[in-house]
Amino acid sequence: MNISELLKARATACPDAIAVIDTWRRRSRMITFAGLDRAAAQAAALLQRAGLRPGDAVLVLHPMSADLYIALSAIFRLGLVAMFLDPSAGSEHIDRCCALWPPKGLIASARAHLLRLHSSGLRHIPFKFAVGLPVPGAVWWANARSYAPYEQIHPCISATPALLTFTSGSTGQPKAAVRTHGFLLAQHKALEQSLGLTPGEIDLATLPIFVLANLASGVATLIPDVNLRRPGSIDPAPLVAQIHAHQPTRAMASPALLERLADYCVERGVILPGFEKIFSGGGPVFPRLLGKLQSIAPQAEITVVYGSTEAEPIAHIACGAMGAKDITAMLAGHGLLAGPPVPAIRLRILRDQWGRPIGPYTQTEFGQACLPRYAAGEVVVSGTHVLPGYLGGCGDEETKFTVDGRRWHRTGDAGYLDDQGRLWLLGRCAARIEDERGTLYPFAVECAAIEQPGVRRAAAISDNGRRILAVQLYHRGTTEDLVRLKQAFAWAGIDEVQVYESLPVDKRHNAKIDYPTLSRIVSSASAG
């Protein structure tokens, strides 16, 4: 089944319902499901007449907007493969990605087309389309409006490729993740069930894959009028104005963006009573943020969603399901509560062997290798919405293994299951600290440190055998503050607390600590 058939079905079932609300030429724009479907069919006609054929990859360089999902729907409809990469990673990264699966088409904003000046991979793409302003050497995307809609939907099987994304490649060659139409359908079902998607609701969504789930479920998506490439530094004012204007009933956003929104509202006494559900994922969601969100959206059920690029979702838990003992445990260094695994996934804990290939296992061997409750180790998962491998097998050896032929994915995260079967996260396996004092996982410290007065962000690392707590403060701290912090984490064996103006985080969500970069910063500071 072609994933675009779900989108087509929504256009038939509720043609006049709002599908997407975005900002176009500084004004709110609303597009119905029927309008989105017609625009996608016209765009499909444009792509088809240009010469693109089923199986061809089309690189899309355009921010979240209605135009992005019109393009995606058109690509799926024709049996093409939508390709996404991070242009901010530089021309070398772009060229490496284009070499792995050479795209035949490029759909990009006028600004993104400028990257062609620096990237041979982009220049060699045969068919180019410009969204927004016309660009020399590219077909103007607006021409699609004059085309008769291409109503056919290319028949697909479960294994037909649909979506292609890439890892950052920061440690070498980027890995290509291919999602098939069958995978996207399975992921949609898992998200629809986990998030309780209900037709007619309005969802403030900042994560692209969740917008696809909304469109397939009949949920209207409000796309924030902010720079989603830097969620941790957005201007919350226009976002608050959008919320007041459109009254979304639910939200799905990264913790960095929600923290900016919550801080803005708390400082100004702004309440957002229309929210009934708020979901956050894409990075660690600490108890402090949950409290802030509850204060500005008192009627909302707040839920933490844990997942990854290769498996979304994995686990989730509502704030109301966290007891006082759970909060106390998180603040005492027991890790970050992620909740029970979603029904569509199988999750186990193995001995932490990150960095070394494991398996294959028989079912008996795997059962014996799985750790008991409360034993910390690697989080591994399997399911129909878990990516079975990477393009060409690049990266499979270190992240995949089999159990009687069934594929399992190693998340790279450490954690354990409690006696209720709930997952507690301890941070990245690669960031664990091992010395003569034992093993210390970063979240055990960070989850507690982030709750200390004045601490905005924290990270625990090791430098030359010394356990360092690196902190970013809201305001300049005193010597007494640092002494107090060190004393508070005597249980973790922290040797020194170091203050930094900012701590490096991932580019996508601005929420996850970039441990390799931080290690270099700390080592450089120590050497200086």
Short mmCIF file of all heavy atoms in Angstrom, two decimals, residues 237-281:
data_model
loop_
_atom_site.label_atom_id
_atom_site.label_comp_id
_atom_site.label_asym_id
_atom_site.label_seq_id
_atom_site.Cartn_x
_atom_site.Cartn_y
_atom_site.Cartn_z
N ALA A 237 7.54 34.80 21.24
CA ALA A 237 6.42 35.74 21.09
C ALA A 237 5.50 35.39 19.92
O ALA A 237 4.27 35.30 20.10
CB ALA A 237 6.95 37.17 20.97
N PRO A 238 6.01 35.21 18.69
CA PRO A 238 5.10 34.86 17.60
C PRO A 238 4.42 33.51 17.79
O PRO A 238 3.29 33.30 17.34
CB PRO A 238 6.00 34.86 16.36
CG PRO A 238 7.39 34.74 16.87
CD PRO A 238 7.40 35.41 18.21
N LEU A 239 5.09 32.60 18.48
CA LEU A 239 4.49 31.29 18.75
C LEU A 239 3.31 31.43 19.70
O LEU A 239 2.24 30.84 19.48
CB LEU A 239 5.54 30.35 19.34
CG LEU A 239 5.08 28.95 19.74
CD1 LEU A 239 4.40 28.25 18.58
CD2 LEU A 239 6.26 28.14 20.25
N VAL A 240 3.47 32.24 20.74
CA VAL A 240 2.36 32.48 21.67
C VAL A 240 1.20 33.14 20.95
O VAL A 240 0.03 32.81 21.18
CB VAL A 240 2.84 33.34 22.86
CG1 VAL A 240 1.65 33.76 23.72
CG2 VAL A 240 3.84 32.56 23.70
N ALA A 241 1.50 34.07 20.05
CA ALA A 241 0.45 34.73 19.28
C ALA A 241 -0.31 33.72 18.42
O ALA A 241 -1.55 33.78 18.31
CB ALA A 241 1.05 35.82 18.40
N GLN A 242 0.41 32.77 17.81
CA GLN A 242 -0.25 31.72 17.02
C GLN A 242 -1.14 30.85 17.89
O GLN A 242 -2.26 30.49 17.49
CB GLN A 242 0.81 30.83 16.36
CG GLN A 242 1.39 31.36 15.07
CD GLN A 242 2.31 30.33 14.44
OE1 GLN A 242 3.33 29.94 15.03
NE2 GLN A 242 1.97 29.86 13.26
N ILE A 243 -0.65 30.51 19.07
CA ILE A 243 -1.43 29.66 19.97
C ILE A 243 -2.73 30.36 20.37
O ILE A 243 -3.81 29.76 20.37
CB ILE A 243 -0.59 29.29 21.21
CG1 ILE A 243 0.57 28.38 20.81
CG2 ILE A 243 -1.46 28.62 22.28
CD1 ILE A 243 1.58 28.13 21.91
N HIS A 244 -2.64 31.65 20.68
CA HIS A 244 -3.85 32.39 21.04
C HIS A 244 -4.81 32.50 19.85
O HIS A 244 -6.03 32.45 20.02
CB HIS A 244 -3.47 33.79 21.53
CG HIS A 244 -2.89 33.81 22.92
ND1 HIS A 244 -3.41 33.06 23.96
CD2 HIS A 244 -1.83 34.50 23.45
CE1 HIS A 244 -2.70 33.28 25.06
NE2 HIS A 244 -1.74 34.14 24.77
N ALA A 245 -4.26 32.64 18.65
CA ALA A 245 -5.10 32.83 17.47
C ALA A 245 -5.80 31.56 17.03
O ALA A 245 -6.97 31.59 16.63
CB ALA A 245 -4.26 33.38 16.32
N HIS A 246 -5.11 30.42 17.11
CA HIS A 246 -5.66 29.18 16.55
C HIS A 246 -6.09 28.16 17.61
O HIS A 246 -6.71 27.15 17.26
CB HIS A 246 -4.64 28.56 15.61
CG HIS A 246 -4.28 29.45 14.45
ND1 HIS A 246 -5.16 29.71 13.42
CD2 HIS A 246 -3.15 30.16 14.17
CE1 HIS A 246 -4.59 30.53 12.54
NE2 HIS A 246 -3.37 30.82 12.98
N GLN A 247 -5.74 28.38 18.85
CA GLN A 247 -6.20 27.53 19.95
C GLN A 247 -5.97 26.03 19.71
O GLN A 247 -6.91 25.22 19.72
CB GLN A 247 -7.69 27.78 20.23
CG GLN A 247 -7.99 29.16 20.78
CD GLN A 247 -7.37 29.38 22.18
OE1 GLN A 247 -7.58 28.59 23.08
NE2 GLN A 247 -6.58 30.44 22.30
N PRO A 248 -4.72 25.62 19.51
CA PRO A 248 -4.46 24.19 19.38
C PRO A 248 -4.80 23.46 20.67
O PRO A 248 -4.65 24.00 21.76
CB PRO A 248 -2.95 24.12 19.10
CG PRO A 248 -2.41 25.39 19.68
CD PRO A 248 -3.48 26.41 19.47
N THR A 249 -5.28 22.23 20.52
CA THR A 249 -5.66 21.44 21.69
C THR A 249 -4.54 20.51 22.14
O THR A 249 -4.62 19.95 23.23
CB THR A 249 -6.90 20.59 21.37
OG1 THR A 249 -6.64 19.81 20.18
CG2 THR A 249 -8.12 21.48 21.12
N ARG A 250 -3.53 20.36 21.30
CA ARG A 250 -2.44 19.47 21.63
C ARG A 250 -1.15 19.99 21.02
O ARG A 250 -1.16 20.85 20.13
CB ARG A 250 -2.72 18.04 21.14
CG ARG A 250 -3.06 17.94 19.67
CD ARG A 250 -3.57 16.56 19.30
NE ARG A 250 -2.54 15.57 19.56
CZ ARG A 250 -2.77 14.34 20.02
NH1 ARG A 250 -4.00 13.95 20.29
NH2 ARG A 250 -1.80 13.50 20.21
N ALA A 251 -0.02 19.51 21.53
CA ALA A 251 1.28 19.92 21.02
C ALA A 251 2.23 18.74 21.04
O ALA A 251 2.14 17.87 21.91
CB ALA A 251 1.86 21.06 21.85
N MET A 252 3.13 18.70 20.04
CA MET A 252 4.20 17.71 19.99
C MET A 252 5.45 18.44 19.60
O MET A 252 5.60 18.89 18.46
CB MET A 252 3.87 16.62 18.97
CG MET A 252 4.97 15.58 18.83
SD MET A 252 5.20 14.57 20.31
CE MET A 252 6.98 14.42 20.38
N ALA A 253 6.38 18.63 20.55
CA ALA A 253 7.54 19.47 20.29
C ALA A 253 8.75 18.99 21.09
O ALA A 253 8.62 18.24 22.06
CB ALA A 253 7.23 20.92 20.63
N SER A 254 9.92 19.46 20.68
CA SER A 254 11.16 19.11 21.37
C SER A 254 11.20 19.81 22.73
O SER A 254 10.61 20.88 22.90
CB SER A 254 12.37 19.54 20.54
OG SER A 254 12.49 20.95 20.52
N PRO A 255 11.90 19.23 23.70
CA PRO A 255 11.98 19.86 25.02
C PRO A 255 12.64 21.23 24.97
O PRO A 255 12.29 22.11 25.76
CB PRO A 255 12.81 18.86 25.85
CG PRO A 255 13.47 17.96 24.85
CD PRO A 255 12.57 17.92 23.66
N ALA A 256 13.59 21.44 24.06
CA ALA A 256 14.26 22.75 23.97
C ALA A 256 13.26 23.84 23.60
O ALA A 256 13.26 24.93 24.18
CB ALA A 256 15.40 22.69 22.97
N LEU A 257 12.40 23.56 22.62
CA LEU A 257 11.40 24.55 22.21
C LEU A 257 10.37 24.77 23.31
O LEU A 257 9.99 25.92 23.62
CB LEU A 257 10.72 24.11 20.92
CG LEU A 257 9.69 25.10 20.34
CD1 LEU A 257 9.78 25.13 18.81
CD2 LEU A 257 8.27 24.76 20.76
N LEU A 258 9.92 23.70 23.93
CA LEU A 258 8.91 23.84 24.98
C LEU A 258 9.47 24.57 26.19
O LEU A 258 8.73 25.30 26.87
CB LEU A 258 8.39 22.45 25.39
CG LEU A 258 7.50 21.76 24.35
CD1 LEU A 258 7.13 20.35 24.82
CD2 LEU A 258 6.22 22.57 24.10
N GLU A 259 10.76 24.40 26.47
CA GLU A 259 11.35 25.13 27.59
C GLU A 259 11.38 26.63 27.30
O GLU A 259 11.12 27.44 28.18
CB GLU A 259 12.76 24.61 27.90
CG GLU A 259 13.38 25.23 29.12
CD GLU A 259 13.90 24.20 30.13
OE1 GLU A 259 14.38 23.15 29.71
OE2 GLU A 259 13.81 24.47 31.36
N ARG A 260 11.71 27.00 26.07
CA ARG A 260 11.69 28.41 25.69
C ARG A 260 10.29 28.98 25.82
O ARG A 260 10.10 30.09 26.33
CB ARG A 260 12.17 28.56 24.24
CG ARG A 260 13.64 28.29 24.03
CD ARG A 260 14.51 29.44 24.50
NE ARG A 260 14.31 30.66 23.71
CZ ARG A 260 14.86 31.82 23.99
NH1 ARG A 260 15.64 31.94 25.05
NH2 ARG A 260 14.64 32.88 23.22
N LEU A 261 9.31 28.22 25.36
CA LEU A 261 7.92 28.66 25.46
C LEU A 261 7.49 28.78 26.91
O LEU A 261 6.87 29.78 27.31
CB LEU A 261 7.02 27.65 24.72
CG LEU A 261 5.50 27.88 24.84
CD1 LEU A 261 5.11 29.20 24.19
CD2 LEU A 261 4.75 26.71 24.20
N ALA A 262 7.83 27.78 27.72
CA ALA A 262 7.41 27.78 29.13
C ALA A 262 8.06 28.93 29.90
O ALA A 262 7.40 29.62 30.68
CB ALA A 262 7.76 26.44 29.77
N ASP A 263 9.36 29.15 29.69
CA ASP A 263 10.04 30.24 30.38
C ASP A 263 9.43 31.59 30.03
O ASP A 263 9.24 32.46 30.89
CB ASP A 263 11.54 30.25 30.03
CG ASP A 263 12.30 29.13 30.71
OD1 ASP A 263 11.78 28.56 31.69
OD2 ASP A 263 13.42 28.82 30.26
N TYR A 264 9.11 31.78 28.76
CA TYR A 264 8.49 33.03 28.30
C TYR A 264 7.14 33.25 28.99
O TYR A 264 6.85 34.35 29.48
CB TYR A 264 8.31 32.97 26.79
CG TYR A 264 7.62 34.17 26.17
CD1 TYR A 264 8.36 35.26 25.72
CD2 TYR A 264 6.24 34.21 26.02
CE1 TYR A 264 7.74 36.36 25.14
CE2 TYR A 264 5.61 35.30 25.44
CZ TYR A 264 6.37 36.37 25.01
OH TYR A 264 5.74 37.46 24.43
N CYS A 265 6.34 32.20 29.05
CA CYS A 265 5.00 32.31 29.64
C CYS A 265 5.07 32.50 31.16
O CYS A 265 4.31 33.29 31.73
CB CYS A 265 4.17 31.08 29.30
SG CYS A 265 3.72 30.96 27.54
N VAL A 266 6.00 31.79 31.81
CA VAL A 266 6.13 31.92 33.26
C VAL A 266 6.55 33.33 33.63
O VAL A 266 6.01 33.94 34.57
CB VAL A 266 7.14 30.88 33.80
CG1 VAL A 266 7.50 31.19 35.26
CG2 VAL A 266 6.57 29.47 33.69
N GLU A 267 7.52 33.87 32.90
CA GLU A 267 8.01 35.23 33.20
C GLU A 267 6.93 36.28 33.04
O GLU A 267 6.93 37.29 33.74
CB GLU A 267 9.19 35.56 32.27
CG GLU A 267 10.46 34.79 32.58
CD GLU A 267 11.52 34.99 31.51
OE1 GLU A 267 11.28 35.82 30.59
OE2 GLU A 267 12.58 34.35 31.59
N ARG A 268 5.97 36.04 32.12
CA ARG A 268 4.94 37.04 31.83
C ARG A 268 3.57 36.68 32.38
O ARG A 268 2.59 37.38 32.14
CB ARG A 268 4.85 37.24 30.31
CG ARG A 268 6.08 37.95 29.76
CD ARG A 268 6.23 37.73 28.26
NE ARG A 268 7.42 38.42 27.74
CZ ARG A 268 8.65 37.97 27.88
NH1 ARG A 268 8.87 36.83 28.51
NH2 ARG A 268 9.68 38.66 27.39
N GLY A 269 3.50 35.58 33.10
CA GLY A 269 2.23 35.17 33.68
C GLY A 269 1.20 34.74 32.65
O GLY A 269 -0.01 34.87 32.86
N VAL A 270 1.67 34.22 31.50
CA VAL A 270 0.77 33.79 30.43
C VAL A 270 0.32 32.36 30.66
O VAL A 270 1.13 31.48 30.94
CB VAL A 270 1.46 33.90 29.05
CG1 VAL A 270 0.56 33.35 27.95
CG2 VAL A 270 1.85 35.34 28.76
N ILE A 271 -0.97 32.13 30.56
CA ILE A 271 -1.55 30.79 30.71
C ILE A 271 -2.09 30.35 29.36
O ILE A 271 -2.70 31.14 28.63
CB ILE A 271 -2.67 30.77 31.76
CG1 ILE A 271 -2.12 31.23 33.12
CG2 ILE A 271 -3.27 29.37 31.89
CD1 ILE A 271 -1.04 30.32 33.69
N LEU A 272 -1.91 29.08 29.02
CA LEU A 272 -2.39 28.51 27.75
C LEU A 272 -3.42 27.43 28.07
O LEU A 272 -3.12 26.23 28.03
CB LEU A 272 -1.22 27.94 26.95
CG LEU A 272 -0.04 28.92 26.70
CD1 LEU A 272 1.11 28.19 26.03
CD2 LEU A 272 -0.51 30.10 25.85
N PRO A 273 -4.64 27.84 28.40
CA PRO A 273 -5.64 26.88 28.88
C PRO A 273 -6.21 25.95 27.82
O PRO A 273 -6.86 24.96 28.13
CB PRO A 273 -6.73 27.79 29.44
CG PRO A 273 -6.63 29.04 28.63
CD PRO A 273 -5.17 29.21 28.34
N GLY A 274 -5.98 26.27 26.53
CA GLY A 274 -6.57 25.46 25.47
C GLY A 274 -5.93 24.10 25.27
O GLY A 274 -6.53 23.19 24.70
N PHE A 275 -4.69 23.95 25.75
CA PHE A 275 -4.00 22.67 25.55
C PHE A 275 -4.61 21.58 26.44
O PHE A 275 -4.74 21.74 27.64
CB PHE A 275 -2.51 22.80 25.88
CG PHE A 275 -1.70 23.44 24.79
CD1 PHE A 275 -1.01 24.62 25.02
CD2 PHE A 275 -1.63 22.86 23.53
CE1 PHE A 275 -0.26 25.22 24.02
CE2 PHE A 275 -0.88 23.45 22.51
CZ PHE A 275 -0.20 24.63 22.76
N GLU A 276 -4.94 20.47 25.80
CA GLU A 276 -5.44 19.30 26.52
C GLU A 276 -4.37 18.22 26.62
O GLU A 276 -4.37 17.42 27.57
CB GLU A 276 -6.68 18.74 25.80
CG GLU A 276 -7.85 19.73 25.75
CD GLU A 276 -8.99 19.23 24.89
OE1 GLU A 276 -8.88 18.08 24.38
OE2 GLU A 276 -9.96 19.97 24.71
N LYS A 277 -3.46 18.20 25.65
CA LYS A 277 -2.38 17.21 25.64
C LYS A 277 -1.10 17.87 25.13
O LYS A 277 -1.14 18.62 24.15
CB LYS A 277 -2.71 16.02 24.73
CG LYS A 277 -3.94 15.23 25.15
CD LYS A 277 -4.23 14.12 24.15
CE LYS A 277 -5.49 13.34 24.53
NZ LYS A 277 -5.82 12.29 23.53
N ILE A 278 0.01 17.62 25.81
CA ILE A 278 1.31 18.09 25.36
C ILE A 278 2.27 16.91 25.39
O ILE A 278 2.42 16.24 26.43
CB ILE A 278 1.86 19.22 26.25
CG1 ILE A 278 0.94 20.46 26.17
CG2 ILE A 278 3.27 19.60 25.82
CD1 ILE A 278 1.38 21.60 27.07
N PHE A 279 2.90 16.63 24.26
CA PHE A 279 3.88 15.56 24.14
C PHE A 279 5.24 16.18 23.86
O PHE A 279 5.35 17.14 23.10
CB PHE A 279 3.52 14.61 23.00
CG PHE A 279 2.21 13.90 23.17
CD1 PHE A 279 1.03 14.49 22.75
CD2 PHE A 279 2.16 12.64 23.74
CE1 PHE A 279 -0.19 13.84 22.89
CE2 PHE A 279 0.94 11.98 23.90
CZ PHE A 279 -0.23 12.58 23.47
N SER A 280 6.27 15.63 24.47
CA SER A 280 7.62 16.13 24.21
C SER A 280 8.58 14.96 24.03
O SER A 280 8.50 13.96 24.75
CB SER A 280 8.12 17.02 25.36
OG SER A 280 9.36 17.60 25.02
N GLY A 281 9.46 15.08 23.04
CA GLY A 281 10.44 14.04 22.77
C GLY A 281 11.54 14.60 21.88
O GLY A 281 11.54 15.77 21.52
#
